């Protein structure tokens, strides 16, 4: 059982990053902190590295989300994702910006440095939602597909405070926060959330969320650096970046 207890953290180490000798990241990686409020309570179950693979399959893989803490060491990857390091590595390269809504047609090409230094601002609640798209466990019947930030963006674009992805669903997946805080809202497949497909998550939080009776509110929690969220197949979910966030996600196709 001792070997089984160590299985989960080993499986969750993404991309084979090697630990550096020391970490001297600036606070928050040099990215801007936001003012979007956190939820008053977390309603998603939490687990730590003592969670075995067999127990993960039994309790969470097919039935409910879980936040995993203390199961990864992404210190090397984290050191590469500071504002300074990403600007140095990708500053002169072009990136493509688009909204994260259902009807998203307009796309804009800019240099990564221009995006970070001039366009990376808090989300306007009145505008379309924006999002810029993590370790994985073996999941029966699904193949892992790694995505960094946005489906079509290279290099990675750290999304600003108040940005996020409106409610949608797909196959199961994992998401880990590297810098910043990321708030999640989740509904099971049989409970379609009430939302407008072209409304940002921030606007939904401000206008729709307060009108929901307690029984109709989603599962929700805020992920902080080093925490990993797993969500099962076809679970509705929306995200809201409370700060400028750096995160990686694995979607199981």
């Amino acid at each position: 059982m001792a070997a089984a207890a160590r299985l989960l953290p080993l499986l969750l180490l993404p991309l084979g990053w090697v630990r550096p000798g020391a970490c001297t990241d600036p606070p928050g990686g040099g990215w801007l902190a936001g003012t979007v409020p956190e939820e008053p309570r977390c309603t998603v179950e939490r687990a730590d590295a003592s969670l075995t693979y067999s127990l993960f399959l039994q309790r969470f893989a097919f039935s409910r989300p879980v936040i995993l803490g203390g199961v990864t060491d992404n210190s090397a990857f984290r050191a590469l994702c500071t504002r300074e390091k990403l600007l140095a590595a990708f500053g002169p390269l072009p990136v493509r910006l688009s909204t994260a809504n259902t009807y998203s047609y307009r796309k804009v090409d800019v240099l990564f440095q221009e995006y970070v230094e001039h366009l990376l601002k808090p989300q306007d609640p009145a505008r379309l939602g924006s999002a810029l798209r993590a370790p994985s466990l073996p999941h029966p019947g699904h193949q892992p597909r790694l995505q960094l930030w946005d489906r079509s963006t290279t290099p990675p674009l750290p999304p600003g405070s108040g940005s996020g992805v409106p409610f949608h669903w797909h196959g199961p997946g994992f998401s880990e926060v590297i810098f910043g805080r990321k708030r999640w809202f989740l509904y099971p497949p049989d409970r379609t959330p009430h939302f407008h497909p072209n409304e940002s998550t921030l606007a939904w939080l401000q206008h729709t969320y307060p009108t929901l009776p307690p029984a109709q509110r989603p599962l929700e929690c805020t992920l902080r650096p080093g925490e990993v969220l797993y969500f099962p197949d076809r679970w509705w979910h929306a995200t809201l970046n409370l700060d400028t966030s750096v995160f990686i996600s694995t979607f199981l196709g």
Side-chain angles (χ1 to χ4, degrees):
M1 288 303 293
R6 293 193 297 270
L7 178 62
L8 186 68
L10 291 175
L11 290 170
L12 280 169
L13 285 174
L15 308 180
W17 295 108
V18 180
R19 297 186 185 187
C23 183
T24 57
D25 298 335
W31 301 106
L32 291 176
T35 58
V36 182
E38 294 188 19
E39 78 294 327
R41 61 196 178 95
C42 177
T43 55
V44 179
E45 189 170 347
R46 292 180 177 271
D48 57 26
S50 65
L51 178 68
T52 63
Y53 177 47
S54 60
L55 193 56
F56 167 78
L57 290 178
Q58 177 185 336
R59 295 184 58 185
F60 303 110
F62 306 100
S63 57
R64 52 183 165 164
V66 60
I67 294 174
L68 304 167
V71 297
T72 66
D73 177 10
N74 270 336
S75 51
F77 182 68
R78 177 184 174 93
L80 297 174
C81 290
T82 65
R83 186 179 188 274
E84 179 183 4
K85 290 291 182 61
L86 285 183
L87 279 174
F90 301 112
L93 298 183
V95 296
R96 176 160 292 180
L97 310 180
S98 66
T99 66
N101 299 87
T102 300
Y103 307 108
S104 175
Y105 302 111
R106 184 167 180 257
K107 294 177 173 58
V108 179
D109 293 327
V110 300
L111 297 183
F112 182 68
Q113 183 171 353
E114 180 183 356
Y115 169 76
V116 171
E117 295 182 346
H118 302 291
L119 302 178
L120 184 55
K121 299 177 181 178
Q123 172 79 30
D124 181 348
R127 302 186 65 181
L128 294 177
S130 63
L132 307 166
R133 294 257 186 215
S136 71
L137 278 169
H139 192 295
H142 295 278
Q143 295 297 319
R145 184 176 82 252
L146 181 68
Q147 292 186 337
L148 302 184
W149 327 109
D150 191 302
R151 302 177 188 84
S152 59
T153 297
T154 303
L157 295 182
S161 174
S163 63
V165 182
F167 279 106
H168 63 290
W169 59 266
H170 44 69
F174 296 84
S175 186
E176 177 177 0
V177 172
I178 306 300
F179 287 116
R181 296 167 299 153
K182 192 177 189 70
R183 185 170 174 179
W184 284 74
F185 307 91
L186 304 108
Y187 283 101
D190 60 351
R191 293 183 59 194
T192 302
H194 176 68
F195 72 103
H196 190 285
N198 272 349
E199 181 181 54
S200 69
T201 304
L202 181 59
W204 174 86
L205 178 64
Q206 294 176 343
H207 303 145
T208 302
Y209 181 92
T211 69
L212 298 176
Q216 295 182 21
R217 292 191 173 181
L219 292 178
E220 56 183 303
C221 203
T222 295
L223 257 65
R224 294 172 179 79
E227 295 182 323
V228 181
L229 174 73
Y230 167 78
F231 52 87
D233 189 27
R234 297 177 182 268
W235 269 67
W236 289 95
H237 53 282
T239 61
L240 180 65
N241 297 296
L242 305 186
D243 309 308
T244 298
S245 300
V246 177
F247 62 97
I248 53 177
S249 295
T250 297
F251 302 108
L252 307 179

